[in-house]
Amino acid sequence: MPHFTVVPVEDKTLPSYDSLEGINWVDHRDSGHSYPGHLDTVSSDGHGSHKEDSPFLNSSDSSPKRNDYYDRNLALFEEELDIRPKVSSLLSRLVSYTNITQGAKEHEEAESAESSKRKIPKSPNMGTLMGVYLPCLQNIFGIILFLRLTWIVGIAGIMQSLLIVLMCCSCTMLTAISMSAIATNGVVPAGGAYFMISRSLGPEFGGAVGLCFYLGTTFAAAMYILGAIEILLSYIFPMAAIFHTSDAHGGDSAMLNNMRVYGTICLGLMALVVLVGVRYVNKFASLFLACVIISIVSIYVGAVKSIISPPEFPICMLGNRTLVRHMFDECGKNITTGNTTVHSKLWQNFCSLGNASDPHCDEYFLQNNVTEIKGIPGLASGIIRDNLWGSYLEKGEILEKASQPTVDVHGSLENFYLYVSADITTSFTLLVGIFFPSATGIMAGSNRSGDLKDAQRSIPVGTILAITTTSLVYFSSVVLFGACIEGVVLRDKFGDAVNRNLIVGTLSWPSPWVIVIGSFFSTVGAGLQSLTGAPRLLQAIAKDNIIPFLRVFGHGKANGEPTWALLLTTLIAELGILIASLDMVAPILSMFFLMCYLFVNLACAVQTLLRTPNWRPRFKYYHWALSFLGMSMCLALMFISSWYYAIVAMGIAGMIYKYIEYQGAEKEWGDGIRGLSLSGARYALLRLEAGPPHTKNWRPQLLVLLKLDEDLHVKYPRLLTFASQLKAGKGLTIVGSVIQGNFLDSYGETQASEQAIKNMMEIEKVKGFCQVVVAAKVREGISHLIQSCGLGGMKHNAVVMGWPYGWRQSEDPGAWKTFINTVRCTTAAHLALMVPKNVSFYPSNHERFAEGHIDVWWIVHDGGMLMLLPFLLKQHKVWRKCKMRIFTVAQMDDNSIQMKKDLATFLYQLRIEAEVEVVEMHDSDISAYTYERTLMMEQRSQMLRQMRLSSAERDREAQLVKDRHSMIHMSSLYSDEEDELGEPVAERIQMTWTKEKLNGERRIRNNAPENFRELISIKPDQSNVRRMHTAVKLNEVIVNRSHDAKLVLLNMPGPPKNSEGDENYMEFLEVLTEGLERVLLVRGGGREVITIYS
């Protein structure tokens, strides 16, 4: 562990952010520093499209620099601290960031000046239990459990009911696994499934599925309201019905009309509550949840109690047919009171009194006996054997008990209303569609991610636990219902056989009213929650501005409440109310939810298969196969429950998709479809033309600069090996080389060079393209490659080139000048740069590191490249077992302990696992060694300058050299080993000596002793001394900590703005990397390449 010293520091944290997508725009300048303005910043337009200007920010030297920039330990980086800030400065700004709270504005829309005036949100503090688990329970448990599950068990039987529950719960569990992976892949602001799908699959899919999810939530509100009205009119206040049947066969239509009237009234009242006091909806949520839990507990208690004393709910049977109990008082044909026997009310219902001596009775009534059986035989009765298998019914079919004796004769149709009959035709597929809404609600946790203390832990744990709990409740309820309740009672949807009691209530303890009241309030609460959530979802879609005609619904009251969205939601929910049948509405919302879940699974599968660099979920228990299985189950359930509803839902989603596509979605959210587009052709290239990729989609698209030897063979293939390990076959790789000469004379050589490079790419398993250019000067050819490689969106964003070994020994400065010119070109083009030093020591693709470390020395922040590259390398089998260590440098005014905590938090949000160490570098006096080394460097530079002649003299000297048949060929050394000097045969040029030439030669020789005396008396420049001090001190620290590392990644300082110091710059880099076996010098491209967001 490093030694830490705590020193007091000033808090320089900025009060707010103007825009924070990842870290796209952070004002890295300290408060007291004057700067020209935003022309010298790297900024974002709010959509991930970066606006980058000068490669050397704050290039005007007129502004005075603070003494802080002359920090001795960071002097090498002082010219670029405006855009590449100290790590401590970056972390101090990041640490004040908290998750965006739920509400009107998403973090990616902070484009206006109003965003800077927003108050800092309260720190989220909800845990797994209150923030995810209980809200998911409340949303999953719904009206279906209380009103329809007993009926499903009666119709389908225990075995098929268990299959239905298994299918639905497995679908939601697989979706929850995919959702957990997406939700833990960074910070997920409010928006739930819509946010996850739109940011993973793009605005077209996001808009289509977002609207389907909105419609599903809206129809869920209608379903809950219809359920509440059914409980009210059937079990609480039956006398409140407005419409009554005029004949015995019109009961269904009267009930539907009552549902429409009361449902509309209830919907209006709920919308008013949501409009006026939405805060009270959230406050009463716990009360509604308590109602659900109490009701479920009462069912279990009643089931256990039925073993000893089953509740008394007798069923009256005529033969094997079930009778409507509230139509008579006594279950018998005759009643004996004292010594008198009279006909019962049941007899009067079946027999007409046209002639008192000869009444006309129903034939079936006369031929069969009236018997009474137990409606709730109890858990120990063995009734479970009769309820194992299904008994599907046609509409109007009378409920019959097969084991009861009967005489099969036709009865009168006029008495049909006295029997309990099926109101709809049932099938397995219909039951699946009706039950599935009781498995939805798994998004409640992700919707609250902005309020969670640790969303990346709470969402997976809470959601999966909630689904497990509800699944166990459903499985056990199916078994308990089938083991305790008579089959004909289970198939009685509205409780007509048990005197209009709620079927599940007959089993509860201590009274059926516990279930009736509890289910009523829980249903009302669920309806309010749906009416609260749906308008906010529509508002989020409208504010994303991907569907122009919905723009008006993004506005609301001054406090952000979505008034217009609530109005539209109420109107759509009214359509569901007018359907008036719970069994008809349930399959509709099943379609919309299933489509939403389908695309959640698709998003997870696409991201996993693409292996995008930003795909680093903290939830590790996912797999693309599970996501595809979940997606297949969703699709299958859609067509199983209702194939025509499925086609309609998919048609709606398809039309919305095409509408957004034709309108031109201007949003770029780093979606997976964009990642797929990189491997497409014309259509994908046109899509990629829209703008630079989002931070989440950024991966190194490499331009590898190679050097060929005289035989046109790749001189250092390990550069290609490094590229293949970094890319792992993903993204774009362009391998470029420059041939010096004339294109007209070198076409054949170019073709041979391309073929040699392609062969080496195939050997090193580099998937990419090759491009060889011919140029008069090598540095011009490299500049052309940097500018022109790629097509449309398929362009490189990073350059890999080798280190010019032997530059000190070379008499020709062209070697290192080409290198520095390439560094400047990449900086000007806003491209990242990687320089593997000692690349011949890098591992081949066949080697494996069984252990070791990849050390990252994060000295200044220039976009996160240093964080991303080790993560990408560790995806390859060569580096997989290496551990990552991140070192950052603390100065005297930095709190190293706080820096370590902030850096650990930052890495946690980035989902990168690494050891963190903060190295303290105290200000120390410049050593004699540093001074001496600087002096030697400047003396050498001065000597080389004096050896160079004036322009005119150089021309004359060239003629002399040619006449002596020797010429130094200007070769480019932008690769890894010592420079090669070409030796072309020069054309013989005859030359005549003149007097002027002879005098020039003598003058040069006579000045040599004087120049030598100047070299001895030279004093080193103080800025060079400071830079050398930085290089020496950093090198000491790096070698001390990372001498045994398998790879060291290091910020590469930028070249000096004044080209006169180029040779000194090369010396600084040599000193900085001395004593290290494998070094990767890295420069960012001026944009963020890593983000904490999903």
Side-chain angles (χ1 to χ4, degrees):
M1 290 292 293
H3 172 71
F4 290 109
T5 302
V6 180
V7 294
V9 296
E10 293 182 5
D11 184 11
K12 298 179 181 178
T13 306
L14 291 178
S16 65
Y17 298 112
D18 283 348
S19 178
L20 189 62
E21 164 57 39
I23 328 162
N24 281 343
W25 190 95
V26 181
D27 189 355
H28 301 300
R29 286 165 284 214
D30 292 328
S31 56
H33 179 57
S34 61
Y35 54 94
H38 285 287
L39 289 175
D40 293 334
T41 62
V42 181
S43 61
S44 169
D45 63 359
H47 309 302
S49 301
H50 297 262
K51 296 181 243 183
E52 302 160 327
D53 302 296
S54 170
F56 296 108
L57 303 185
N58 200 8
S59 55
S60 63
D61 295 332
S62 59
S63 59
K65 292 186 177 181
R66 289 182 44 175
N67 292 333
D68 290 357
Y69 281 11
Y70 287 97
D71 193 312
R72 289 174 180 171
N73 294 326
L74 292 181
L76 271 177
F77 303 91
E78 64 188 13
E79 290 186 343
E80 296 182 306
L81 280 179
D82 279 353
I83 55 173
R84 305 175 198 272
K86 293 192 298 184
V87 174
S88 58
S89 174
L90 173 78
L91 292 175
S92 67
R93 286 154 176 79
L94 283 175
V95 73
S96 65
Y97 172 72
T98 57
N99 286 352
I100 307 300
T101 56
Q102 293 185 224
K105 193 162 274 208
E106 285 189 39
H107 70 289
E108 292 186 337
E109 297 226 345
E111 302 165 7
S112 66
E114 298 176 3
S115 60
S116 62
K117 302 176 183 178
R118 282 183 291 179
K119 295 180 180 179
I120 298 175
K122 293 182 179 179
S123 178
N125 55 6
M126 296 186 74
T128 303
L129 181 67
M130 297 300 297
V132 181
Y133 180 70
L134 292 180
C136 281
L137 282 186
Q138 182 183 3
N139 280 266
I140 295 174
F141 285 135
I143 192 61
I144 301 298
L145 171 63
F146 301 114
L147 289 186
R148 292 293 182 268
L149 187 56
T150 53
W151 175 70
I152 291 173
V153 174
I155 297 293
I158 295 175
M159 302 305 293
Q160 292 188 29
S161 297
L162 289 175
L163 178 60
I164 291 173
V165 174
L166 178 64
M167 291 169 59
C168 296
C169 292
S170 297
C171 177
T172 53
M173 178 62 81
L174 292 171
T175 304
I177 291 173
S178 299
M179 184 198 72
S180 297
I182 298 174
T184 59
N185 187 48
V187 181
V188 180
Y194 164 68
F195 179 89
M196 289 188 286
I197 294 171
S198 61
R199 270 57 174 181
S200 297
L201 294 179
E204 295 90 352
F205 278 111
V209 181
L211 279 182
C212 286
F213 191 46
Y214 162 74
L215 292 174
T217 308
T218 305
F219 275 99
M223 184 190 74
Y224 289 128
I225 292 173
L226 290 174
I229 300 304
E230 183 177 315
I231 294 173
L232 180 71
L233 295 180
S234 298
Y235 309 114
I236 300 179
F237 297 117
M239 302 305 296
I242 300 174
F243 299 95
H244 300 278
T245 177
S246 58
D247 56 30
H249 305 286
D252 288 346
S253 60
M255 181 64 179
L256 293 179
N257 288 329
N258 285 319
M259 298 276 281
R260 293 184 179 104
V261 173
Y262 279 103
T264 303
I265 296 172
C266 185
L267 175 62
L269 292 175
M270 286 186 175
L272 190 61
V273 170
V274 171
L275 180 65
V276 175
V278 68
R279 68 175 77 90
Y280 300 111
V281 176
N282 295 324
K283 286 183 178 180
F284 283 106
S286 57
L287 174 63
F288 298 141
L289 177 61
C291 292
V292 174
I293 294 175
I294 292 172
S295 300
I296 293 173
V297 170
S298 71
I299 295 173
Y300 284 102
V301 174
V304 174
K305 181 179 175 292
S306 70
I307 300 175
I308 305 170
S309 58
E312 291 295 329
F313 284 96
I315 309 300
C316 194
M317 308 290 296
L318 178 61
N320 65 352
R321 297 180 179 179
T322 310
L323 297 173
V324 177
R325 187 58 195 249
H326 70 271
M327 302 295 292
F328 52 90
D329 48 3
E330 291 290 335
C331 183
K333 294 184 178 181
N334 299 306
I335 303 174
T336 301
T337 55
N339 295 325
T340 308
T341 300
V342 295
H343 296 302
S344 66
K345 188 174 181 180
L346 177 62
W347 186 90
Q348 295 173 10
N349 287 329
F350 277 98
C351 298
S352 60
L353 300 176
N355 187 346
S357 60
D358 187 19
H360 177 70
C361 292
D362 184 280
E363 186 66 23
Y364 189 86
F365 179 75
L366 293 175
Q367 296 291 332
N368 289 278
N369 295 323
V370 176
T371 56
E372 196 171 60
I373 62 173
K374 286 186 176 182
I376 314 292
L379 197 58
S381 63
I383 194 69
I384 188 171
R385 289 189 297 272
D386 297 335
N387 294 330
L388 281 177
W389 306 109
S391 178
Y392 293 98
L393 303 172
E394 297 290 332
K395 183 177 182 180
E397 186 176 346
I398 297 172
L399 272 61
E400 298 178 347
K401 181 174 174 60
S403 60
Q404 285 291 109
T406 180
V407 177
D408 192 12
V409 294
H410 291 287
S412 172
L413 289 177
E414 294 179 358
N415 299 319
F416 179 78
Y417 71 97
L418 296 171
Y419 300 108
V420 180
S421 61
D423 64 328
I424 58 173
T425 300
T426 55
S427 64
F428 180 81
T429 58
L430 175 71
L431 299 183
V432 171
I434 292 174
F435 177 77
F436 186 79
S438 64
T440 60
I442 62 175
M443 301 292 181
S446 61
N447 291 345
R448 294 167 175 257
S449 60
D451 298 328
L452 298 175
K453 191 173 185 178
D454 186 358
Q456 296 189 356
R457 177 184 174 274
S458 297
I459 289 176
V461 174
T463 304
I464 292 175
L465 278 180
I467 294 175
T468 304
T469 303
T470 53
S471 300
L472 291 175
V473 169
Y474 288 142
F475 281 120
S476 58
S477 297
V478 168
V479 176
L480 286 178
F481 293 158
C484 296
I485 306 176
E486 174 62 50
V488 289
V489 178
L490 289 173
R491 289 187 285 277
D492 181 8
K493 185 188 292 185
F494 300 108
D496 291 324
V498 287
N499 206 16
R500 305 290 289 183
N501 276 298
L502 184 61
I503 299 298
V504 70
T506 60
L507 184 61
S508 64
W509 180 89
S511 167
W513 285 102
V514 175
I515 297 289
V516 172
I517 300 300
S519 60
F520 177 76
F521 280 112
S522 68
T523 306
V524 170
L528 284 171
Q529 292 283 356
S530 297
L531 278 180
T532 304
R536 278 156 181 75
L537 178 59
L538 180 62
Q539 186 183 46
I541 298 172
K543 287 200 169 187
D544 272 343
N545 199 23
I546 57 175
I547 305 177
F549 69 81
L550 292 180
R551 195 173 303 161
V552 65
F553 298 108
H555 305 293
K557 295 194 293 187
N559 61 355
E561 290 298 320
T563 310
W564 292 106
L566 177 61
L567 179 61
L568 179 64
T569 302
T570 305
L571 293 176
I572 296 175
E574 177 63 19
L575 297 178
I577 298 294
L578 293 177
I579 295 175
S581 171
L582 184 67
D583 302 320
M584 295 294 290
V585 174
I588 296 177
L589 66 98
S590 293
M591 289 303 110
F592 292 127
F593 278 121
L594 279 167
M595 180 165 290
C596 174
Y597 296 165
L598 184 150
F599 281 100
V600 169
N601 286 296
L602 177 62
C604 181
V606 166
Q607 297 276 31
T608 305
L609 290 175
L610 281 179
R611 297 180 188 173
T612 52
N614 190 63
W615 182 245
R616 303 184 299 276
R618 288 207 165 272
F619 181 76
K620 301 298 183 185
Y621 305 101
Y622 70 95
H623 193 271
W624 64 266
L626 291 178
S627 299
F628 269 114
L629 179 60
M631 184 176 66
S632 304
M633 288 192 68
C634 290
L635 190 62
L637 285 174
M638 287 176 68
F639 282 92
I640 285 174
S641 25
S642 177
W643 63 268
Y644 44 89
Y645 279 161
I647 292 175
V648 170
M650 294 175 74
I652 292 174
M655 287 188 291
I656 298 171
Y657 178 95
K658 296 307 291 184
Y659 174 78
I660 297 174
E661 187 180 50
Y662 285 136
Q663 285 292 320
E666 298 178 357
K667 300 290 181 181
E668 171 47 49
W669 289 322
D671 52 89
I673 296 300
R674 186 176 175 90
L676 285 172
S677 298
L678 289 172
S679 59
R682 176 181 174 275
Y683 176 70
L685 284 171
L686 291 175
R687 286 174 59 90
L688 291 171
E689 278 290 321
H694 192 276
T695 301
K696 294 183 296 182
N697 264 348
W698 196 97
R699 67 163 77 237
Q701 316 289 4
L702 299 181
L703 170 60
V704 183
L705 298 176
L706 287 184
K707 182 177 181 181
L708 305 178
D709 59 19
E710 295 87 348
D711 299 326
L712 300 181
H713 295 148
V714 176
K715 192 167 184 183
Y716 300 107
R718 284 296 165 88
L719 277 175
L720 291 176
T721 308
F722 170 73
S724 69
Q725 293 169 4
L726 185 64
K727 300 296 291 178
K730 301 293 181 181
L732 174 69
T733 302
I734 302 175
V735 180
S737 187
V738 178
I739 296 176
Q740 190 171 3
N742 188 317
F743 177 70
L744 297 178
D745 302 329
S746 307
Y747 179 76
E749 188 178 354
T750 303
Q751 296 297 308
S753 301
E754 285 190 1
Q755 190 58 47
I757 293 175
K758 287 179 180 177
N759 293 339
M760 186 54 65
M761 289 172 65
E762 187 174 350
I763 293 172
E764 296 295 338
K765 298 181 179 178
V766 175
K767 299 182 184 300
F769 307 96
C770 171
Q771 188 161 355
V772 177
V773 299
V774 180
K777 293 182 180 180
V778 174
R779 67 179 64 181
E780 291 180 0
I782 293 175
S783 177
H784 295 159
L785 283 173
I786 291 174
Q787 294 178 63
S788 60
C789 277
L791 174 64
M794 293 280 285
K795 291 185 69 69
H796 58 279
N797 55 28
V799 176
V800 177
M801 68 173 179
W803 175 261
Y805 280 98
W807 66 272
R808 285 172 171 157
Q809 293 75 28
S810 174
E811 296 179 9
D812 173 33
W816 52 267
K817 283 191 174 181
T818 300
F819 175 84
I820 295 178
N821 184 72
T822 306
V823 176
R824 287 197 171 102
C825 286
T826 57
T827 305
H830 298 289
L831 301 176
L833 176 64
M834 287 169 271
V835 181
K837 199 161 180 271
N838 301 331
V839 78
S840 56
F841 295 108
Y842 276 54
S844 69
N845 286 328
H846 304 292
E847 296 180 44
R848 303 282 191 281
F849 286 131
E851 57 182 359
H853 293 92
I854 299 177
D855 286 356
V856 175
W857 283 85
W858 192 23
I859 301 170
V860 294
H861 177 70
D862 59 355
M865 278 283 290
L866 286 173
M867 305 292 174
L868 188 62
L869 293 177
F871 172 79
L872 295 177
L873 282 173
K874 278 168 61 66
Q875 307 304 306
H876 196 275
K877 56 189 176 182
V878 172
W879 305 91
R880 187 165 295 152
K881 293 186 179 180
C882 291
K883 295 183 179 178
M884 185 173 164
R885 294 189 301 192
I886 296 182
F887 298 87
T888 189
V889 176
Q891 305 300 320
M892 282 297 293
D893 58 345
D894 294 328
N895 185 336
S896 57
I897 296 177
Q898 187 62 40
M899 276 183 68
K900 184 172 183 179
K901 291 180 181 178
D902 296 344
L903 182 55
T905 302
F906 182 48
L907 291 177
Y908 178 81
Q909 290 179 336
L910 290 175
R911 293 92 63 207
I912 290 178
E913 296 179 3
E915 297 177 26
V916 175
E917 289 194 38
V918 177
V919 179
E920 293 186 345
M921 291 184 63
H922 300 290
D923 285 344
S924 58
D925 294 334
I926 296 174
S927 64
Y929 170 76
T930 301
Y931 193 87
E932 182 181 352
R933 186 141 189 180
T934 309
L935 181 61
M936 291 173 60
M937 174 187 73
E938 294 201 355
Q939 287 176 343
R940 179 181 180 277
S941 299
Q942 182 70 15
M943 189 182 345
L944 289 175
R945 272 197 297 272
Q946 291 173 355
M947 289 173 62
R948 296 177 193 132
L949 307 176
S950 66
S951 178
E953 292 170 333
R954 189 160 55 245
D955 292 339
R956 287 194 292 270
E957 182 70 14
Q959 295 296 328
L960 290 172
V961 172
K962 287 182 180 180
D963 196 42
R964 295 167 187 162
H965 306 286
S966 63
M967 181 184 74
I968 297 177
H969 179 62
M970 304 284 285
S971 67
S972 69
L973 206 56
Y974 56 89
S975 76
D976 239 314
E977 300 289 336
E978 51 279 333
D979 56 324
E980 293 185 293
L981 299 178
E983 296 181 356
V985 178
E987 180 184 355
R988 183 176 180 86
I989 301 176
Q990 297 293 335
M991 180 175 175
T992 304
W993 281 86
T994 64
K995 185 175 181 180
E996 289 79 7
K997 292 177 184 176
L998 181 63
N999 291 336
E1001 281 288 301
R1002 289 174 177 171
R1003 189 163 52 249
I1004 293 169
R1005 291 168 183 165
N1006 291 336
N1007 288 338
E1010 183 180 348
N1011 294 337
F1012 182 73
R1013 286 192 294 271
E1014 288 180 6
L1015 289 176
I1016 297 176
S1017 62
I1018 193 171
K1019 289 185 178 180
D1021 183 79
Q1022 285 302 310
S1023 64
N1024 286 338
V1025 173
R1026 285 188 297 103
R1027 287 177 168 85
M1028 182 63 75
H1029 178 73
T1030 296
V1032 170
K1033 292 288 289 182
L1034 282 176
N1035 179 257
E1036 287 178 2
V1037 174
I1038 295 172
V1039 171
N1040 183 42
R1041 298 297 183 94
S1042 302
H1043 59 88
D1044 59 345
K1046 301 300 182 185
L1047 179 64
V1048 176
L1049 284 84
L1050 179 65
N1051 286 114
M1052 182 179 181
K1057 298 173 186 177
N1058 187 355
S1059 59
E1060 292 181 1
D1062 283 357
E1063 192 170 6
N1064 297 338
Y1065 171 71
M1066 295 297 298
E1067 187 70 29
F1068 294 144
L1069 293 183
E1070 284 282 11
V1071 174
L1072 187 62
T1073 56
E1074 275 181 354
L1076 298 172
E1077 184 180 13
R1078 299 185 192 92
V1079 186
L1080 181 63
L1081 295 171
V1082 180
R1083 278 181 63 77
R1087 62 161 292 161
E1088 292 298 330
V1089 301
I1090 198 165
T1091 176
I1092 63 175
Y1093 288 109
S1094 169

